[in-house]
Amino acid sequence: MISITRFPALATGLALLGTLGASAQSAAPASLTVQVNKPGAAVNKNMYGLFFEDINFAADGGLYPELVKNKSFETDARLMGWRALGGGANLDTYAVRNEQGINNQSNPHYLRLTTRNGAGGEAGIENEGFRGMGVKQGGEYKLSFYARRGAGDISGLTATIVGQRGENLGQVAVSGFTNEWKQYTAVLKATGTQNKAHLKLVLNGTGTVDLDVVSLFPKDTWNQRPNGLRTDLVQLLKDMKPGFLRFPGGCIVEGRTLSERYQWKETIGDVAARLPLINRWNMEFRHRSTPDYYQSFGLGFFEYFQLSEDIGAEPLPILNVGMACQYNSGELAPMGTASTKGGPNAGTAPHDHATDDPSLDMFIQDALDLIEFANGPATSTWGAKRAAMGHPAPFNLKMIGVGNEQWGPQYLERYVPFAKAIKAKYPNIDLVSSAGPSPDGELFDTASKRLGELKADYIDEHYYAKADWFRQHVDRYDKYARGGPKIFAGEYAAQSGAIGSQENKNTWDCAISEAAFMTGLERNADVVGMASYAPLFANVDAWQWTPDLIWFDNLNSYGSPSYYVQKLYALNKGTKVLPVTMPGGAKNGTDNLFASAVTDEPTGEVVVKLVNYSTSPRPVSINLAGAKGLGKTGRAQTMASDDLQTQNSLKEPKKLAPQESTFAVKGSTLSYTLAPNSFTVLRVPAKK
Ligand code: AHR
């Protein structure tokens, strides 16, 4: 196996690059021409999308709003997240057992508590949540759990949401425990707002009781769904009008070893029966280690398809191609059907291959089954499972990714049978293939060449690089051959420091550089079909990787400047590219001026995007050549800051966000002054 350290090609590339110095600007306006009468390539209507990965507590402790950590006592450290009240002084037994659990296969472990005879005080347990629990005054929280009474007279328990100073923020008593497992539910109404509360369960009576699947879930979820998603975070996603939603990653698809890979079949069906799996990001970065990071899969593949539908994004699942993460073990599934374990039915039902030694055919079968789960009729094997979960209509899946960020001959040899099998059964599904972790170098070139020969639909390119790399590579796709595979810029983000460094910040310098680079994506919409920033989410108290698009704590959230750049592109993507001539016929980016333009055919508007990466205001005159029926008033959306280090935060969530204004349109040449360090989108009404 080729050994590769994290993004070495990027690091080397950066060292070789010079910087484009900002030269002094003349006071005369810089003249640009937009050929309104020469519309070119169509912009993919799904061009700007989202990349979701469960990194930085993006799922549990984030988008998936379950408040109880390790609700089923199934994580490797069985009592993670729990502690006995009073250090267990009032308990004889505080232990996880696995005889006669709720379900010996899917949920074998539970917690047994026995009160200490004659001890006074409260006997019970507490759950800490995900860096605490966020509750809102007046908000309702559904408590549910399974209980089974043993010897003694424990009739029930009292559940309390406890604030940081020990105050009672809502309480309910639940009774009627019997000798059989039974589910109990109740609703707690919060009397205060706090983002670091916790849940306390006090036993009523003395004796033994077994508890399992303890959940505290907000009633206020997206579309008010039980097991639904966190509303503020979904709203931020929806506001972007994303074209697609890539899921579940990211390296999490691959796992550090194959047994830790993401297996979609283990994430559907009854939520209580989804076994948790260690999150591969838990210890990846020593400086940000989170040993309590697991995937509960409460946000599984059904919820993912539903979310895509809710926010109007095309789903883009990325599947494991029989390779564990090449930054870790690089473990490979053997080609074909060879498998040292997996019996004849291996891979056909949930939970049967977690401990297997699977062959590539099993991975391919998983991919075919996923397509059936998404699109098959409710009468098909996997379509029936979707229907049983409440969605008889197909999700209309159109794309699937074969592998995440893979590289080398092992990837290419696995991609071929994968693609062949999927295309044979589902010829209309577009496949996304990987060009590896770096945007250049030998591995990249070999993969791109071979995938071109194989007539891949999309090639997924990743670039995490310093901000100036983005400005300097604005012409990257000008040089690509036309007619080959489409490019999916599937993961990118400008870094303020070294890649993987905890010092990276979501600065305006990064975001404006992404905006500059994206003029190059837009100008090359005939080559670049999709683009997504990565990663998407980060919990301010539990992140591993920075920078990220959206940050949140247990109650609040905000978009970084990069979020607003992505949003401006997505909301102003138009339908066809318009050719732009830069001042003096120079290259895009000369003098740190960047521009692209599109027409929005349904409204007839001309949309011009301009980046002024300089500390001076820059007057421009834009000739809208061949434009007809121009309106009198244009609309500008501007992001600008004198300080390139500006960031948003929970305290100042919109310190840097688009500002709207109007401007007069007099004739077909626009005069406009771009603010220092600004990204501006001009929309000019014109005749359709
Ligand atoms: O976005 C973070 C990681 O960067 C992704 O998981 C991986 O694909 C890339 O290396």
Side-chain angles (χ1 to χ4, degrees):
M1 188 196 122
I2 294 170
S3 119
I4 185 164
T5 50
R6 205 158 192 92
F7 303 112
L10 282 183
T12 321
L14 286 167
L16 296 175
L17 293 168
T19 50
L20 280 177
S23 62
Q25 284 122 44
S26 63
S31 300
L32 298 94
T33 300
V34 177
Q35 295 286 347
V36 180
N37 54 352
K38 291 195 180 146
V43 180
N44 181 2
K45 67 181 172 37
N46 306 115
M47 174 93 164
Y48 304 103
L50 297 166
F51 162 98
F52 177 91
E53 176 170 23
D54 190 0
I55 183 171
N56 304 320
F57 280 52
D60 302 302
L63 188 56
Y64 183 66
E66 170 62 73
L67 296 175
V68 174
K69 185 157 79 182
N70 185 22
K71 66 180 192 288
S72 295
F73 309 97
E74 297 294 343
T75 58
D76 299 318
R78 304 271 183 238
L79 283 165
M80 189 189 82
W82 295 95
R83 62 179 174 256
L85 290 177
N90 299 324
L91 290 173
D92 267 336
T93 313
Y94 170 61
V96 172
R97 311 276 293 251
N98 66 352
E99 320 85 41
Q100 296 164 320
I102 294 176
N103 181 319
N104 290 340
Q105 227 120 62
S106 63
N107 191 353
H109 297 96
Y110 57 88
L111 179 65
R112 174 158 294 177
L113 300 172
T114 309
T115 58
R116 176 157 292 162
N117 243 346
E122 293 179 331
I125 48 171
E126 294 181 296
N127 188 277
E128 66 189 17
F130 298 91
R131 307 299 185 270
M133 298 178 177
V135 291
K136 286 185 191 154
Q137 179 157 19
E140 294 190 315
Y141 299 87
K142 183 179 167 193
L143 172 75
S144 63
F145 60 89
Y146 283 80
R148 175 176 62 185
R149 193 169 75 179
D153 65 358
I154 295 181
S155 57
L157 56 75
T158 300
T160 310
I161 299 174
V162 182
Q164 265 185 300
R165 289 172 301 283
E167 67 273 41
N168 175 344
L169 295 176
Q171 195 168 68
V172 70
V174 181
S175 59
F177 288 3
T178 71
N179 295 337
E180 301 293 330
W181 279 117
K182 198 178 143 201
Q183 194 183 29
Y184 298 84
T185 60
V187 173
L188 287 126
K189 196 167 188 169
T191 55
T193 298
Q194 280 198 26
N195 75 11
K196 296 223 180 286
H198 69 269
L199 176 69
K200 178 167 93 165
L201 304 176
V202 177
L203 305 179
N204 297 328
T206 55
T208 297
V209 72
D210 298 331
L211 296 174
D212 204 357
V213 201
V214 184
S215 164
L216 187 65
F217 212 94
K219 281 186 118 183
D220 181 24
T221 59
W222 189 258
N223 284 343
Q224 306 301 309
R225 288 199 187 98
N227 202 50
L229 303 178
R230 189 170 139 173
T231 51
D232 60 327
L233 297 180
V234 178
Q235 191 65 58
L236 280 165
L237 303 187
K238 190 168 186 195
D239 288 349
M240 257 190 70
K241 294 215 166 96
F244 62 89
L245 177 56
R246 174 182 178 145
F247 178 95
C251 295
I252 209 152
V253 169
E254 307 155 42
R256 288 175 293 210
T257 60
L258 282 179
S259 64
E260 283 182 8
R261 73 194 187 275
Y262 193 102
Q263 301 185 60
W264 75 265
K265 289 175 180 169
E266 313 241 343
T267 74
I268 60 166
D270 180 10
V271 185
R274 301 180 194 172
L275 279 176
L277 180 69
I278 193 85
N279 187 303
R280 54 136 305 122
W281 293 108
N282 67 341
M283 307 291 270
E284 186 78 28
F285 298 111
R286 243 179 258 148
H287 55 270
R288 299 288 308 174
S289 93
T290 45
D292 60 336
Y293 198 2
Y294 276 75
Q295 304 170 78
S296 75
F297 299 120
L299 164 50
F301 252 83
F302 178 81
E303 292 78 15
Y304 156 58
F305 282 128
Q306 210 168 35
L307 171 64
S308 305
E309 195 170 72
D310 286 351
I311 62 176
E314 293 293 344
L316 171 47
I318 305 290
L319 293 181
N320 190 305
V321 65
M323 301 177 79
C325 184
Q326 290 162 280
Y327 290 120
N328 304 121
S329 71
E331 201 183 338
L332 294 170
M335 300 291 291
T337 52
S339 174
T340 53
K341 291 183 199 149
N345 297 320
T348 58
H351 300 303
D352 68 349
H353 59 195
T355 53
D356 261 344
D357 183 5
S359 68
L360 189 67
D361 283 0
M362 212 186 270
F363 288 80
I364 294 174
Q365 191 58 49
D366 272 0
L368 297 173
D369 292 343
L370 179 67
I371 299 170
E372 187 177 291
F373 178 71
N375 292 354
T379 48
S380 62
T381 307
W382 290 98
K385 294 182 197 294
R386 180 195 70 237
M389 291 186 75
H391 202 289
F395 282 116
N396 202 12
L397 176 69
K398 300 187 184 85
M399 311 178 271
I400 207 160
V402 181
N404 173 44
E405 193 181 63
Q406 321 301 157
W407 64 80
Q410 297 88 350
Y411 172 61
L412 294 168
E413 70 177 350
R414 279 166 181 74
Y415 172 80
V416 171
F418 232 97
K420 196 173 158 204
I422 295 175
K423 287 287 185 185
K425 194 160 180 192
Y426 299 106
N428 295 329
I429 294 276
D430 276 345
L431 299 183
V432 171
S433 52
S434 167
S438 310
D440 49 28
E442 200 188 317
L443 292 170
F444 175 86
D445 292 343
T446 310
S448 302
K449 183 165 175 281
R450 181 70 186 125
L451 290 165
E453 288 161 3
L454 291 168
K455 303 205 179 316
D457 298 318
Y458 279 95
I459 301 181
D460 180 10
E461 299 187 356
H462 294 181
Y463 19 90
Y464 297 93
K466 287 273 185 64
D468 53 2
W469 183 94
F470 282 81
R471 299 191 307 280
Q472 288 157 2
H473 286 79
V474 64
D475 62 346
R476 175 181 177 88
Y477 296 109
D478 297 355
K479 303 167 197 159
Y480 271 50
R482 277 32 205 175
K486 291 267 188 199
I487 298 304
F488 171 30
E491 291 186 33
Y492 61 88
Q495 316 282 303
S496 65
I499 298 137
S501 157
Q502 61 180 320
E503 302 306 327
N504 273 316
K505 303 275 185 268
N506 278 104
T507 63
W508 178 225
D509 192 31
C510 291
I512 193 175
S513 302
E514 289 151 6
F517 179 77
M518 289 171 80
T519 61
L521 300 186
E522 187 167 274
R523 282 165 170 255
N524 289 284
D526 53 335
V527 171
V528 183
M530 293 188 288
S532 48
Y533 182 101
L536 179 58
F537 283 126
N539 182 319
V540 295
D541 291 325
W543 57 270
Q544 295 78 45
W545 178 297
T546 180
D548 304 287
L549 205 61
I550 293 170
W551 289 81
F552 59 86
D553 67 8
N554 281 337
L555 288 176
N556 301 301
S557 48
Y558 70 91
S560 64
S562 294
Y563 168 82
Y564 289 106
V565 165
Q566 294 294 319
K567 185 173 166 183
L568 280 179
Y569 268 93
L571 298 186
N572 295 286
K573 65 181 175 301
T575 52
K576 280 199 179 138
V577 179
L578 297 176
V580 178
T581 309
M582 300 301 287
K587 277 171 61 177
N588 187 21
T590 302
D591 234 2
N592 282 310
L593 178 66
F594 302 80
S596 61
V598 290
T599 173
D600 197 2
E601 288 158 307
T603 63
E605 285 166 294
V606 177
V607 185
V608 187
K609 302 188 180 77
L610 296 138
V611 171
N612 175 25
Y613 187 78
S614 93
T615 51
S616 313
R618 187 178 326 232
V620 288
S621 78
I622 307 168
N623 172 19
L624 302 178
K628 286 196 194 120
L630 289 174
K632 289 194 169 21
T633 310
R635 189 159 61 90
Q637 298 162 84
T638 307
M639 294 179 69
S641 173
D642 287 341
D643 181 3
L644 285 170
Q645 301 314 310
T646 303
Q647 298 174 55
N648 292 339
S649 64
L650 285 170
K651 273 200 179 126
E652 292 181 288
K654 291 196 174 167
K655 189 169 180 183
L656 187 43
Q659 303 296 318
E660 290 240 359
S661 58
T662 55
F663 58 92
V665 180
K666 293 179 194 144
S668 60
T669 300
L670 304 177
S671 293
Y672 198 90
T673 299
L674 303 173
N677 296 331
S678 64
F679 170 40
T680 305
V681 181
L682 302 176
R683 292 191 75 103
V684 185
K687 204 165 170 197
K688 285 190 206 178

